[in-house]
Amino acid sequence: MKNNCTKVIGLRNYFVTLQPNYAIVFMESFQWLKDLFTATDSVAHIALLYAIVIAAGVYMGKIKIGGISLGVTFVLFAGIVAGHFGFTAPTPILTFIQDFGLILFVFMIGMQVGPGFFESFGKAGIKLNGLAATAIVLNILVMFACYFIFFDTSNVTNLPMMVGTLYGAVTNTPGLGAANEALGTVFGIGKAPHIASAYACAYPLGVLGIIGATILIRYICSISMDKEEEALTALDETNTNKKPYKMHLEVTNKYLEGKTLLQVHNFLNRDFVVSRLVHQGELCIPNRDTVFHLGDQMLIVCAEADQEAIMAFIGPKLDIDFEQSDQPLVSKRILITNPSINGKSLGSMHFSSVYGVNVTRVTRQGMDIFATPTLPLQVGDRVMVVGPEDAVDRVANKMGNSIRRLNAPNIATIFVGIIIGIIFGSLPIAIPGMPVPMKLGIAGGPLIIAILIGRYGYKMHLVTYTTTSANMMLREIGLVLFLASVGIKAGSNFFETVVDGDGLLYVLTGFLITVIPILIVGPIARLKYKFNYFTIMGMIAGTYTDPPALAYANSVCSKEAPAVGYSTVYPLSMFLRIFTAQIVVLFFCG
């Protein structure tokens, strides 16, 4: 018994002796984990930093309060928290990732809005874009008014901070990036004020202020939501647009006897396509030299607005359907994926004379476009082809018709555009009164080039098509990298700015910058230009480039008016936000 006790005591003393050594080994074994979070020059640390900040920000941004969320912009706040607690990276690396993210973000925006940028200046589009531009100018004027009223103008950092407040108030992140870059030119790299702090102060109330001011317009102008819906419904019923319209007609006009299809087309001076024709019971695919005869029956595709004029000239409608009764001929949607077709006009392809088929309509970005001979085809278009099955298959092979090929990203076009955009943005433009030459910079240069490539790239044989999901992915990656970098850099002094500095003043002035222009422009759009209230809601959301405001407008309207208003002004608004950021900083902050 005594011997057993002695053994136990000895064993206990042995482990007690080893315990400190085990503790040291245990701590040393987890030193790698400590280094991972503290060794700021480590690639693994930097990757972990961005992964944590972005993931936390995205998840937190999905939380809705009163049906409204901040979305990916919450990545900025997650970065501020990380920077405040010393979870950071070397400043040169943060700056590089910030600038690269901004370039990628604005370039993909330009590629998205480019195809419709110039088309947005239609009859109603000019008025809406004029109102949007007025609101943007008013935002800047209110910012300067707040600066002179509430701040010490002798302090050189106050105006740059107000610029940050401006872009938080209008919820425009690319403008913040452009202003940041311009401030680096004026103050020197690393010496510019951290305007992201003011941006973060103004942003949350900016989102609420846009929606709140939009609601207030309804009461100022005594607007009935039900009547606005009824007006949109009535407009849909009477609006004749360029959507393709299909009808079966019989030739009863004696004047057309012996005339060719080309002669009839030139006489009417309206765009239409005869996709099938029945002469004496025989079905054929007509071409420009096909001769009309009394009693011929035909399938015509035209613009909806032209249907009555064409029917009055050719003859009455028939209650038959060639597409159902005709077995030898087929209709097929073909996807253009062959880069060699990119930019060629529909007429230059000679579908009717060479292949014996007709193209009756083109679908681009989800919208039907009437197939005029001068319409330039683009990769990603879907065309409706009518003709004999073997001829349609030959056309399909010519056009590509390969979804797999279309899904492959045209990454070369993106980086060629970025190269040109950076060079273009670096060109110095000397303007009298400016302390330094103006440059569009890494925000403005790539944006303008992307818009031009998106619209005219096919003329340079650049395939500009990018799937919506690919565009959104690249754009969001660029945005979160930019926001995370800005937040981390601003985090070290953010809370001092808010608590000990002018944080509450930034919140107040940001709210004024947000609301006052809306309450001026909104009633003008309603009372002077008689725009539908839901169109005004979309226009305001587009002017402030604010998706939450558009989401709210869509939730209270069953029609597409808010989306139309948003998309009409968004391209120009985004361009002006970025461009005016450079102008304000270079003119007034130097």
Side-chain angles (χ1 to χ4, degrees):
M1 185 71 177
K2 182 177 179 181
N3 290 336
N4 290 337
C5 291
T6 303
K7 290 179 180 179
V8 171
I9 293 171
L11 189 62
R12 184 194 67 185
N13 292 337
Y14 175 75
F15 279 107
V16 168
T17 304
L18 288 180
Q19 187 175 0
N21 295 329
Y22 277 122
I24 293 172
V25 171
F26 180 81
M27 293 299 295
E28 288 179 350
S29 66
F30 281 92
Q31 182 63 37
W32 63 270
L33 184 60
K34 179 181 177 183
D35 292 341
L36 189 60
F37 281 88
T38 58
T40 58
D41 57 348
S42 164
V43 173
H45 167 84
I46 297 169
L48 182 68
L49 166 65
Y50 275 91
I52 290 175
V53 168
I54 292 171
V58 170
Y59 280 117
M60 293 294 289
K62 292 181 179 180
I63 299 174
K64 292 185 177 181
I65 301 175
I68 301 171
S69 66
L70 295 183
V72 295
T73 307
F74 213 96
V75 171
L76 174 69
F77 297 95
I80 288 173
V81 173
H84 175 71
F85 288 104
F87 190 28
T88 184
T91 300
I93 294 177
L94 291 174
T95 301
F96 166 74
I97 297 177
Q98 168 188 318
D99 292 345
F100 179 74
L102 178 64
I103 291 171
L104 193 60
F105 177 52
V106 298
F107 189 85
M108 297 315 297
I109 285 178
M111 290 286 284
Q112 178 196 20
V113 304
F117 182 79
F118 298 101
E119 281 74 9
S120 66
F121 298 101
K123 187 174 182 180
I126 291 178
K127 294 179 181 178
L128 286 174
N129 278 288
L131 290 167
T134 301
I136 291 170
V137 172
L138 287 173
N139 288 136
I140 297 173
L141 293 178
V142 174
M143 179 208 73
F144 276 108
C146 292
Y147 166 66
F148 286 110
I149 294 172
F150 297 107
F151 291 89
D152 179 10
T153 57
S154 63
N155 188 335
V156 295
T157 64
N158 277 339
L159 184 54
M161 295 301 284
M162 281 303 298
V163 174
T165 304
L166 165 66
Y167 284 95
V170 300
T171 68
N172 187 266
T173 306
L176 171 67
N180 253 329
E181 186 198 1
L183 285 169
T185 302
V186 174
F187 286 88
I189 302 299
K191 299 178 181 179
H194 292 290
I195 64 173
S197 300
Y199 174 94
C201 289
Y203 188 95
L205 207 55
V207 175
L208 296 175
I210 295 168
I211 297 174
T214 305
I215 295 173
L216 191 57
I217 291 172
R218 186 201 316 170
Y219 296 100
I220 293 174
C221 300
S222 302
I223 295 171
S224 168
M225 302 283 276
D226 293 336
K227 290 183 178 180
E228 297 301 293
E229 284 271 6
E230 292 173 2
L232 288 177
T233 302
L235 185 63
D236 287 341
E237 294 174 353
T238 58
N239 183 38
T240 54
N241 49 38
K242 283 293 184 181
K243 291 182 179 178
Y245 183 82
K246 184 172 59 176
M247 57 185 174
H248 299 80
L249 302 181
E250 180 179 356
V251 178
T252 59
N253 185 353
K254 295 181 180 180
Y255 172 81
L256 301 184
E257 177 67 35
K259 299 293 190 298
T260 65
L261 176 58
L262 179 61
Q263 289 174 319
V264 175
H265 190 280
N266 290 339
F267 182 82
L268 264 175
N269 196 28
R270 295 175 188 269
D271 289 320
F272 67 91
V273 174
V274 181
S275 63
R276 304 180 188 186
L277 185 143
V278 176
H279 175 65
Q280 296 182 349
E282 190 173 324
L283 185 65
C284 68
I285 296 292
N287 56 40
R288 58 189 293 171
D289 299 319
T290 298
V291 177
F292 280 26
H293 299 283
L294 290 175
D296 285 353
Q297 299 174 349
M298 60 190 65
L299 173 60
I300 287 182
V301 181
C302 63
E304 191 174 2
D306 295 333
Q307 57 156 321
E308 291 186 2
I310 294 172
M311 185 172 59
F313 185 70
I314 294 177
K317 286 185 180 180
L318 296 174
D319 190 19
I320 60 174
D321 191 345
F322 298 155
E323 291 183 313
Q324 296 297 327
S325 62
D326 171 36
Q327 293 301 320
L329 301 180
V330 297
S331 300
K332 187 175 182 180
R333 284 192 178 273
I334 296 175
L335 184 65
I336 299 178
T337 60
N338 185 353
S340 65
I341 296 179
N342 201 45
K344 291 186 177 180
S345 68
L346 196 57
S348 69
M349 298 299 295
H350 305 294
F351 289 114
S352 177
S353 58
V354 175
Y355 296 96
V357 301
N358 280 335
V359 174
T360 60
R361 76 200 80 166
V362 178
T363 303
R364 179 176 299 163
Q365 300 290 338
M367 296 182 63
D368 282 340
I369 304 172
F370 183 67
T372 61
T374 58
L375 178 70
L377 298 173
Q378 296 184 15
V379 170
D381 288 349
R382 292 181 183 271
V383 297
M384 176 65 79
V385 179
V386 180
E389 187 171 4
D390 58 342
V392 171
D393 289 340
R394 285 196 297 272
V395 172
N397 291 331
K398 174 71 174 177
M399 292 186 173
N401 201 35
S402 171
I403 295 178
R404 180 180 299 179
R405 183 188 295 181
L406 193 63
N407 285 338
N410 298 298
I411 198 165
T413 299
I414 295 173
F415 283 96
V416 166
I418 288 176
I419 292 171
I420 300 172
I422 291 175
I423 294 173
F424 180 65
S426 300
L427 292 174
I429 304 172
I431 297 178
M434 271 196 178
V436 293
M438 189 190 82
K439 298 179 182 179
L440 292 174
I442 60 172
L447 176 69
I448 293 175
I449 296 301
I451 289 174
L452 294 176
I453 287 178
R455 180 62 180 87
Y456 300 108
Y458 65 86
K459 294 186 176 182
M460 298 176 285
H461 304 290
L462 292 174
V463 178
T464 60
Y465 178 83
T466 305
T467 61
T468 302
S469 58
N471 184 291
M472 287 291 293
M473 175 64 75
L474 290 173
R475 194 172 75 189
E476 292 297 290
I477 288 175
L479 177 59
V480 295
L481 288 176
F482 170 77
L483 289 173
S485 303
V486 171
I488 294 168
K489 289 169 69 175
S492 59
N493 62 355
F494 175 76
F495 290 97
E496 289 78 4
T497 301
V498 175
V499 178
D500 300 329
D502 296 318
L504 293 178
L505 206 51
Y506 297 144
V507 174
L508 170 63
T509 54
F511 182 73
L512 296 176
I513 293 170
T514 301
V515 170
I516 291 175
I518 295 176
L519 295 181
I520 294 174
V521 170
I524 291 175
R526 176 64 179 182
L527 301 176
K528 179 175 176 59
Y529 296 106
K530 310 299 181 184
F531 280 111
N532 186 279
Y533 174 66
F534 296 116
T535 302
I536 295 172
M537 293 180 75
M539 181 267 293
I540 292 171
T543 302
Y544 283 72
T545 62
D546 187 53
L550 176 62
Y552 171 76
N554 285 331
S555 69
V556 297
C557 179
S558 62
K559 307 295 183 182
E560 296 182 354
V564 171
Y566 183 92
S567 60
T568 300
V569 303
Y570 178 87
L572 181 65
S573 297
M574 181 63 76
F575 171 76
L576 289 178
R577 293 291 185 194
I578 293 173
F579 185 70
T580 55
Q582 305 259 347
I583 295 295
V584 170
V585 170
L586 294 177
F587 258 113
F588 300 102
C589 296

